[in-house]
Amino acid sequence: MGLGDFFKKTFGKQACAFCGNEVGMLKRTKIKNKEFICTDCSYGCSRHIQLYRFTREELLGHMDYMKRQDRLCKEVLGNPSCSVPSAGTEQAVEFYDDFGMFCIRDMDKDRRYIKEPIRYDQVAKYEPYCDESEPDEPGKEKVFGECGVIITLVGAQDDAGELPKGVRPHPYITEELKVCLNDRDKHIGMMDVQHVIGHFNYIFGVGDDTKGLFSFGPTKQQRREGEAFKAMTGMFGAAIKAARTGEVPEDAKAQVEEAMSKVDDAATSGLAKYTRLADAAEEKVYGED
């Protein structure tokens, strides 16, 4: 390849593998197999993935997935059960507890990219971060930069031994999700950070196996385990009765499903509840395909 061909290939216009339009180097991204995707077509992809890791065929499948996610947001989810921060910031975490999902709001990128719900059971871990720099003068307080949360999905988690029970990999996202909640006020920002961490703790049942200082009776997790044991006992009792009489109760199937749900809830510290809610939400969109 001559020098002229090199510069033409590197800096000249190249055809987008999706729409066919020829675009310059500032308006395209290289993907696998020496092909390109233009900026306009890339808005049909998740903003949380690295496009260079995918082939054209893989991205076509991903774009179909994102269209269903868009429908999920518009036709099923509605308004979030809570959003942190509630308003006035570029980024936020929006929780949809009734559907077992959350979204990352980005006021800049939401204007271009499809809004993308992520299931609670795709989360491997979540942690706060606070960026600060050393002061110019000794003895002064550190200079606050920003604070927020880092959400790691199952595909980006290296140590499988640390994964919560009941989680599953995201089909495409393997990168950490960094959400800046505040870049102006550390005190207010860290309050929002703790709000997000606390909500995820609630979803994943963190602390459900401990009692408060003035709490009496079983813990929340012990109640789940008790309900699971009671449900399984009732299910086996019905099965034994059916074996003796040869008659299967009309509600046997529902009883089995309820018992298994109680067992799953106990095994996952309550996360399985949100898995069922997410499955039901996705079925409204995916079930039509």
Side-chain angles (χ1 to χ4, degrees):
M1 178 186 298
L3 189 59
D5 291 334
F6 170 79
F7 278 100
K8 183 178 179 180
K9 187 174 182 63
T10 304
F11 301 105
K13 290 187 175 182
Q14 297 288 341
C16 172
F18 299 86
C19 68
N21 292 334
E22 291 194 345
V23 292
M25 64 175 298
L26 298 180
K27 294 184 178 181
R28 67 175 186 247
T29 300
K30 191 174 183 179
I31 60 176
K32 281 188 174 181
N33 297 332
K34 299 180 180 180
E35 293 186 294
F36 298 90
I37 182 172
C38 71
T39 300
D40 288 341
C41 288
S42 71
Y43 293 149
C45 300
S46 168
R47 62 177 180 259
H48 302 303
I49 66 172
Q50 298 293 334
L51 296 172
Y52 68 83
R53 296 192 296 106
F54 298 90
T55 65
R56 177 180 181 275
E57 288 70 26
E58 290 169 339
L59 285 179
L60 284 172
H62 171 66
M63 289 174 178
D64 287 339
Y65 164 82
M66 289 299 293
K67 289 176 182 177
R68 291 193 292 267
Q69 295 300 92
D70 187 47
R71 285 185 56 203
L72 189 58
C73 279
K74 293 177 178 177
E75 300 175 16
V76 180
L77 298 190
N79 295 322
S81 50
C82 78
S83 181
V84 186
S86 58
T89 59
E90 288 294 321
Q91 292 187 309
V93 181
E94 296 177 339
F95 295 100
Y96 297 84
D97 290 353
D98 292 339
F99 304 98
M101 301 180 185
F102 71 97
C103 291
I104 296 174
R105 186 184 75 211
D106 189 309
M107 295 178 67
D108 177 43
K109 294 180 180 178
D110 283 348
R111 301 185 186 101
R112 297 170 290 168
Y113 288 91
I114 296 172
K115 193 172 181 181
E116 180 181 5
I118 299 170
R119 298 169 58 115
Y120 290 150
D121 60 10
Q122 292 171 337
V123 175
K125 64 179 181 179
Y126 45 90
E127 55 193 340
Y129 80 88
C130 183
D131 290 340
E132 296 180 299
S133 58
E134 294 297 330
D136 294 332
E137 300 179 22
K140 297 287 186 179
E141 293 185 358
K142 290 185 177 181
V143 179
F144 173 67
E146 65 176 47
C147 62
V149 293
I150 296 175
I151 303 169
T152 305
L153 302 189
V154 176
Q157 174 73 4
D158 294 331
D159 188 353
E162 296 182 0
L163 292 176
K165 292 181 180 179
V167 297
R168 61 179 68 181
H170 190 281
Y172 293 100
I173 301 174
T174 58
E175 289 75 29
E176 288 183 341
L177 308 177
K178 188 175 183 179
V179 188
C180 172
L181 299 180
N182 199 301
D183 58 3
R184 298 175 301 278
D185 188 301
K186 178 181 177 180
H187 175 71
I188 295 175
M190 290 308 296
M191 289 177 62
D192 289 331
V193 168
Q194 292 307 316
H195 190 170
V196 171
I197 297 297
H199 199 92
F200 274 124
N201 284 346
Y202 171 78
I203 297 300
F204 282 89
V206 176
D208 286 357
D209 56 350
T210 59
K211 293 183 179 181
L213 184 60
F214 299 103
S215 297
F216 301 95
T219 65
K220 191 173 182 178
Q221 178 60 16
Q222 287 172 335
R223 289 197 297 271
R224 287 194 191 102
E225 293 169 352
E227 290 173 1
F229 179 78
K230 182 178 179 180
M232 290 297 292
T233 301
M235 183 185 72
F236 286 130
I240 293 172
K241 182 178 179 181
R244 288 174 178 173
T245 63
E247 298 179 0
V248 179
E250 293 183 2
D251 62 344
K253 182 179 179 180
Q255 192 172 11
V256 170
E257 290 179 351
E258 181 182 4
M260 296 310 298
S261 293
K262 297 288 187 183
V263 171
D264 288 341
D265 290 344
T268 63
S269 299
L271 179 62
K273 166 189 170 182
Y274 297 101
T275 292
R276 296 192 295 272
L277 290 170
D279 286 344
E282 288 183 345
E283 180 64 23
K284 294 178 181 179
V285 172
Y286 285 64
E288 299 176 4
D289 297 339

